Amino acid sequence: LDRFEAWKAADNRPILFVAGQVPTDANAVVGLGPYASLHDLYSGVLNLPDTWRMVFKPHPKAPIDHQPIDQPDSANVFFGDIPVIDAIESSDAVLVHSSNVGLEALLLDKPTLVTGQPIYSASGQTLPVSHSNQLIDRLSAPLPKPQRNRVEDFVQSLLDHCLLDVTDSASLFKRIQSAQIPQNPRPLIGY
């Protein structure tokens, strides 16, 4: 954290926090769009406009030998396992594929860009990014903050309609039966 604080203080450009994902996450397996792998996605993210800096935090469950980014820190990019809350609070925007970190960022009023399709993107408060050029375009314009009341309404809807009582196995079974399985899922190899 001390190394991060020194990096942050050395420059006043805005910071994009990128939360790493695991390659076997369901959204990473079937929802990478034009990217063949998470590594390709993160490589595209490294081409930020030079008006921004980036903090990349690897996912704690991603295997060390399969980290998508393994470069040393630079003036533009900080790589480190810092607390998520510190990374979000220190950032001007957050980029996730389909991580719960995106919902945390929305709750902390941070502009949140998503490359995947997490459930909270249905709130209408995230900014979709389908390729690295679109990320550059988004970061070149002012980013709107999420509307707190819409985020809170979305979270309340999740609490009211999506959570199941742990003792209600019949509802869980119905939900599993109704789930749609992708027709052509991506293989788990080729990370």
Side-chain angles (χ1 to χ4, degrees):
L1 199 53
D2 290 340
R3 189 171 54 90
F4 173 64
E5 291 298 332
W7 177 86
K8 187 173 71 169
D11 194 325
N12 65 357
R13 288 178 292 165
I15 296 172
L16 176 68
F17 169 43
V18 179
Q21 187 57 280
V22 291
T24 54
D25 178 89
N27 281 309
V29 173
V30 298
L32 287 173
Y35 298 99
S37 67
L38 279 173
H39 186 275
D40 289 350
L41 185 149
Y42 294 131
S43 294
V45 169
L46 282 172
N47 296 320
L48 284 174
D50 60 3
T51 55
W52 281 79
R53 296 186 296 158
M54 180 178 85
V55 172
F56 180 85
K57 175 184 173 43
H59 193 286
K61 293 186 178 178
I64 290 176
D65 58 343
H66 285 98
Q67 292 296 342
I69 297 177
D70 59 355
Q71 300 179 6
D73 295 341
S74 68
N76 293 332
V77 183
F78 178 90
F79 300 93
D81 187 16
I82 61 173
V84 167
I85 191 72
D86 291 313
I88 293 173
E89 288 179 342
S90 297
S91 69
D92 297 281
V94 175
L95 174 71
V96 297
H97 177 62
S98 62
S99 169
N100 289 338
V101 170
L103 183 56
E104 292 177 61
L106 289 174
L107 291 168
L108 290 169
D109 299 320
K110 296 294 179 173
T112 304
L113 301 105
V114 295
T115 60
Q117 295 181 348
I119 189 169
Y120 52 83
S121 64
S123 71
Q125 297 303 296
T126 61
L127 302 165
V129 175
S130 60
H131 52 78
S132 56
N133 288 340
Q134 189 176 32
L135 174 63
I136 292 169
D137 291 345
R138 292 247 189 241
L139 295 177
S140 298
L143 294 170
K145 286 192 170 195
Q147 295 175 18
R148 181 156 256 325
N149 62 327
R150 290 193 60 195
V151 173
E152 290 173 352
D153 288 348
F154 178 76
V155 170
Q156 189 61 52
S157 178
L158 286 177
L159 294 172
D160 293 343
H161 304 291
C162 296
L163 295 180
L164 297 175
D165 183 327
V166 295
T167 63
D168 187 359
S169 57
S171 292
L172 176 60
F173 185 71
K174 284 180 188 176
R175 185 152 310 160
I176 291 170
Q177 283 184 315
S178 68
Q180 294 182 357
I181 298 173
Q183 295 299 316
N184 297 308
R186 240 179 248 269
L188 294 179
I189 57 173
Y191 174 93

